[in-house]
């Protein structure tokens, strides 16, 4: 697994929740994002599943 420290101030939408990307990494050739939701919970999602806020 390669790991890149990648901090973004922008918020994204995932399953109707606002999340912030903590870091993005590649696992098995797929981009995965570690995100934090509005409640402070951390979880991993496919980077492509995040929608940027306009």
């Amino acid at each position: 697994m390669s790991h890149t420290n990648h901090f973004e101030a922008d918020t994204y939408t995932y399953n109707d929740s606002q999340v912030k990307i903590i870091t993005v990494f590649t696992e098995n050739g797929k981009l995965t994002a570690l995100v934090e939701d509005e409640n402070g919970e951390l979880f991993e999602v496919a980077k492509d599943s995040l929608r940027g806020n306009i």
Side-chain angles (χ1 to χ4, degrees):
M1 169 175 72
S2 66
H3 178 79
T4 305
N5 285 332
H6 185 19
F7 295 94
E8 296 186 23
D10 295 335
T11 58
Y12 292 83
T13 302
Y14 179 76
N15 287 345
D16 296 324
S17 294
Q18 297 297 309
V19 298
K20 290 185 180 180
I21 294 178
I22 304 301
T23 191
V24 175
F25 56 93
T26 304
E27 188 169 36
N28 298 325
K30 297 180 182 177
L31 274 178
T32 302
L34 177 65
V35 298
E36 180 179 10
D37 71 8
E38 299 157 326
N39 300 319
E41 289 190 45
L42 298 175
F43 54 96
E44 295 176 2
V45 298
K47 174 78 165 72
D48 293 342
S49 66
L50 299 174
R51 290 181 285 138
N53 291 337
I54 299 173

